[in-house]
Amino acid sequence: MQPKRKHMKKATRTLIILQLIALCICTNLRAQVADSVDVLHYSLELDLSNGRPFNGDALLTVRLLQPCSAMGLDLDGTVDSIRVNGVRTATGDIHNILLGGIAVGDTFTVAVAYRGSGHVESYGFGGFHFDNDMSYNLGAAFSEALHPIGHAVYPCRDNFHDKATYTIHMKTTAGWSAECSGMLQSRSIDNNGCEHTTWEIAQPVCTYIVGVSQAAYRRIKDTVAGYPLTIGYTTQDSATTRNVFALLDAVVPKFEECFGPYRWGRIGYIGTAMGSMEHVNNIALARPAMASVSLAGQSTIAHELGHAWFGNLVTCEEEGDMWINEGGASFCSEVAREATHSRRASNATYQQDLDKVLRTTHHSDGAYRPLHGMPHAYTYGSTTYDKGAMVWHSLRGYLGDSLFYASVRTLMERCAFSNIDAYRLRDSLSLYSGHDLTGFFDFHVFNAGFNNYNVSIGQGDGYQSTNNVKVSIQQSSVGTDSLMRHNRVPVTFISADGARHKEWFSFSGTDTVVNSLLLPFTPALFVLDLDCELSDAATIDSADIVGGNGTIPAEMAFFALRAPSPEHMTRYYVEHHYAPAQDADTLTGVVRTAGRYWAVRCKHAINNGVTGRFRYIRQGYANSAYENLDEGFYNRSVSLDSIVLLWRSDPASPWQAVSHRRAGNSNDGYFLLDNLRTGEYTLAVVDTNLLAIADAAAGTATTGAALFPNPVRRGEAVAVEVESNAPFALTLIDAAGRTAWHRDGCRSGERVAPSVPAGTYTVLIENNDITLQSKIIIL
C-alpha cells in the first residue's frame, strides 16, 4: 500500500497500518503459495563423534498448505530412510516424498535418517567444514544455485522464507565441546568422553542461520545489557579476546535504542578458521577479528550482530533483495562506531567506504547495478553490502534520526520473524514515517548509479541585506540517465566567526532556485552536506591552516594545501565530486575532462601564498592505493604537458585553464595552483595550441615547471621539474625586476638551494627549446 501524499490523514493512516500488520504476519504464507507446505519445527540429532561422514536424524513437523501429492527437501548427503507419519516411504527419494492421505491444514511428520558428507561449496565458504581443530558450518553459499546452504547439515526446505523453530541434539568428538544456535538446555559427558548437548531455538528462523560447531573450546561467559554472552575460542589469548569484545557494552544498548529489543535471548560468538556468518546465538567470526582490536575486526563483530535485526528478525523475501539484510548489517557497523567513538568518527569511516564504492563497486560488480533484483552472481557483491549500507545511511539523513529510527523500530516490531521485499519495505517505511519514499526508493533502490548536487549562492531578491541569499541547486547523475524525485539536500552556511546554520532544501526534478533565503547571519561560505547525511556522488573533507605548518592534507577530497607563513590561519572545506564538471567540456581546446571535480570553499575568495594541490593518478597505475580514481581520463600515451587544471569561480562563470604545474611523476602526483581561490576545479586533457593557461589569481601566464617544495625555507633545496631532457638556465628575479640568482646547466629534477633573501621571486627557466616562468616563495 503506497501513500499518495507526504502527510496522510489519521484515519487513512490507521487503515493502512492494519493492512500492513496483516501483510507482515502473512508474508510467509504468501511466499509459500507455490510451495504448498510449511515446516513448523526441526528436531535434529547430529552425531559428530567420528568426524565425517557424520550420522544424522531429522524429524520435521510440517503443515500442508495446498493439495499436493508429494514434497521435496534439500540435502547434501546419503539418505538411509524416510518416514511420513512413522510409515517408511517406498522410494526413499528425498526430492519426491509422497504425501498420500494428508488433507490441507493437517500437520504431519517427516523423519529422515541420513549420513552427511561435510559438503562445502566450490567457492570454499558455505557448507559444513571439518578442520583438524574444529567442525562448524557456514550457512550461506556464494557460488551455488541456492545461497542458503543449511542442506549441508540437515534435510530442509532451504530458502529465505520457510522459517521454523528448532531442537538440536549434538554428540561431539571425544574431548571436544559444542556451541550451537539456540539456548542450551542440557550438557553431559558419556563414558567415551563424548559430550551430549541439547539446544532450543524458540523463534522461527531461516535454515541458513542455524549454526552448529564443535571444538576444544575455551569460553568467556558474561552478560551484556542483561543478555547472557558466550564467546567460544580456541587459538586466541583470553585477555585479548575480552578486550576485543568490549565494544558490545556500548553497541548492544545502542542497537536496541535504534532498532528495538534483541529477540534471541543469548549473544554468542565462536572463532572459526574461515569466514564470518550471522547464525542465531552462534555467530561465526573469522579468528583474525578476535586476535586484536582493529577497525575491520570491530566492524565485523558489529555487522554480524546487526543481523539479529537485519536478516534474522526481518528477512529479505528473495536473494534479489539481499541488500536489506547485508546492507542493513553493514549500516549497523557504522552505528556501532558511533556508539563506541563518536558520530564524527563514524562519518570519517563512512566517507572512506563511500569513496571506495564510488571508485570501485561498478568495476567489481561488472556495472552500476540497482539494489533490487540483484543477479544471483552478485548477490553478495559490493553493491549489496556497501552501496546497500550507503542507502540505509542516506535514508537516515533523508528522514532525520528521530523519524528514521522510530520507523525502523516499528518495522522490526510489526514484521518480526517475517520476510519483506523492497516494495513492502518502501511502503512500510513511508507509512510509519508519514513521508512518501517513492522517489527515494525509485532512485536509490530500483535504479543504478548515484546522484550529484552542485550548489551556488548569490544575493537574494527583494530585501537587500547581506544575510539574504539566493540558493541554486543543480542535480546530475553518475552511472544512470535517471534523476531523483523528491530531493532533500542539506546546505550548511558558515559565518566569518564560525557560526553555522543548516537548511534542508526539498525539490523535485533537475534543479531548484530559492530566490530569497534570510539567514541569521551574513554567510562567509557554504558547504554541501557538511554532516555527511547523503550517499550521493561526493565526499567532503576539510583542511585547517594554523600558521605556516607545511602540507595539510584533505585526504578524502584528494586535495592538500601549503601555507607559507604564520599569518595564514583559516579552514578550507573541499567537496570532491565523482561526476563530470558541468560545461567544462565546452571550453575550446578541451579534448576531455576527468570524471570528477572539486568545490573549494573558504571564507576568503583568494589566499595569496597558499598553494592548492589537486591529486591525479594515471589510469591503470598498478601501485595506486586509489584504483580507478582517474579511470578513462589519461594513460601512458597522454603527456602530462597536455593535462591542465581548470577553474571557475561559480557555476555562472566560464571555465579557464589556470595551471599545469605539478609535483610527482606521470603516474601519481598533484597539480599545483598558487594563490588558491575558492570555486570549482577539474582536470582536462587539452590541445595546448588552442588553450591558453591564465593564472586565475594574478592574470599572468603560468608554466609547465614544477617547483617543490614551494614555499621553501631559506638555504633549503628545491627540486625543479620541467618537460625537457636538455640542460637549462635558471634565474630568480626579485620584486624590483633585478636578477637575484642565476645558474646555467640545470637539469629537470635537480635540487638547487638559491642563496637569496626571503621573499617572492619570479623563476625564469630557459634553453633553446623552452622559456618557462613560475614563482617561488622563500621564507
Side-chain angles (χ1 to χ4, degrees), residues 587 589-590 592 633 639-647 656-661 671 682-688 691-693:
L587 184 63
V590 169
R592 63 179 173 274
F633 178 51
S639 167
L640 280 180
D641 262 352
S642 62
I643 300 178
V644 300
L645 184 68
L646 303 181
W647 168 83
Q656 55 184 303
V658 291
S659 176
H660 62 195
R661 292 178 49 239
F671 278 86
T682 193
L683 299 174
V685 176
V686 303
D687 183 339
T688 54
L691 186 66
I693 302 176

Side-chain angles (χ1 to χ4, degrees), residues 344 347-355 358 393 452-453 455 490-494 500 525-543 553-559 571-578 597-602:
R344 182 176 181 180
N347 278 349
T349 304
Y350 155 76
Q351 288 220 99
Q352 293 173 356
D353 294 340
L354 176 60
D355 171 75
L358 292 169
H393 172 103
N452 181 68
Y453 299 106
V455 182
V491 179
T492 298
F493 300 89
I494 304 174
R500 295 184 180 183
L525 69 152
F526 62 96
V527 184
L528 169 69
D529 194 22
L530 179 60
D531 298 316
C532 305
E533 295 171 283
L534 299 182
S535 298
D536 57 5
T539 57
I540 184 172
D541 207 343
S542 61
E555 294 181 2
M556 291 314 305
F558 299 96
F559 175 84
R571 167 173 285 190
Y572 282 84
Y573 296 93
V574 187
E575 302 163 14
H576 181 254
H577 296 254
Y578 279 101
Y597 70 95
W598 295 265
V600 177
R601 317 290 190 194
C602 181

Side-chain angles (χ1 to χ4, degrees), residues 28-44 58-76 82 93-99 108-110 112 114 139 146-166 204-210 315-318 419:
N28 280 341
L29 182 61
R30 290 176 64 252
Q32 293 162 355
V33 167
D35 283 346
S36 71
V37 297
D38 178 19
V39 180
L40 303 177
H41 184 78
Y42 291 89
S43 181
L44 307 177
L59 179 65
L60 285 66
T61 303
V62 188
R63 177 178 292 132
L64 188 66
L65 303 178
Q66 291 189 91
C68 66
S69 58
M71 64 173 283
L73 294 175
D74 302 301
L75 176 68
D76 277 298
I82 301 173
D93 182 0
I94 198 165
H95 302 296
N96 187 34
I97 302 170
L98 301 180
L99 303 178
F108 60 98
T109 61
V110 177
V112 182
Y114 66 100
L146 292 174
H147 284 308
I149 196 168
H151 57 276
V153 181
Y154 60 99
C156 56
R157 302 282 291 170
D158 223 0
N159 54 54
F160 290 107
H161 50 75
D162 195 341
K163 298 186 176 185
T165 56
Y166 284 76
V205 299
C206 299
T207 53
Y208 74 101
I209 56 173
V210 176
T315 313
C316 61
E317 183 73 49
E318 299 291 348
N419 299 75

Side-chain angles (χ1 to χ4, degrees), residues 253-272:
K254 182 67 172 180
F255 281 4
E256 289 200 301
E257 173 192 337
C258 293
F259 311 125
Y262 181 78
R263 303 293 192 102
W264 308 102
R266 176 178 69 93
I267 298 172
Y269 288 84
I270 58 167
T272 57

Side-chain angles (χ1 to χ4, degrees), residues 424-504:
R424 290 195 294 277
L425 179 64
R426 174 199 65 192
D427 294 345
S428 298
L429 293 178
S430 292
L431 173 69
Y432 305 148
S433 68
H435 287 262
D436 185 350
L437 297 175
T438 302
F440 183 95
F441 272 72
D442 281 351
F443 187 87
H444 289 293
V445 176
F446 302 122
N447 179 67
F450 299 83
N451 57 354
N452 181 68
Y453 299 106
N454 203 44
V455 182
S456 61
I457 69 171
Q459 176 63 52
D461 293 347
Y463 177 58
Q464 296 299 306
S465 171
T466 55
N467 62 337
N468 182 24
V469 297
K470 176 181 180 179
V471 181
S472 300
I473 303 177
Q474 293 179 302
Q475 182 188 180
S476 59
S477 59
V478 181
T480 178
D481 294 328
S482 300
L483 293 174
M484 182 171 164
R485 296 176 292 121
H486 304 156
N487 300 275
R488 294 193 73 233
V489 182
V491 179
T492 298
F493 300 89
I494 304 174
S495 68
D497 61 2
R500 295 184 180 183
H501 176 80
K502 181 165 65 178
E503 287 279 343
W504 282 86

Side-chain angles (χ1 to χ4, degrees), residues 376-395:
H376 178 83
Y378 299 100
T379 300
Y380 292 100
S382 178
T383 303
T384 293
Y385 280 78
D386 303 321
K387 185 183 177 183
M390 303 299 153
V391 170
W392 282 107
H393 172 103
S394 200
L395 186 58

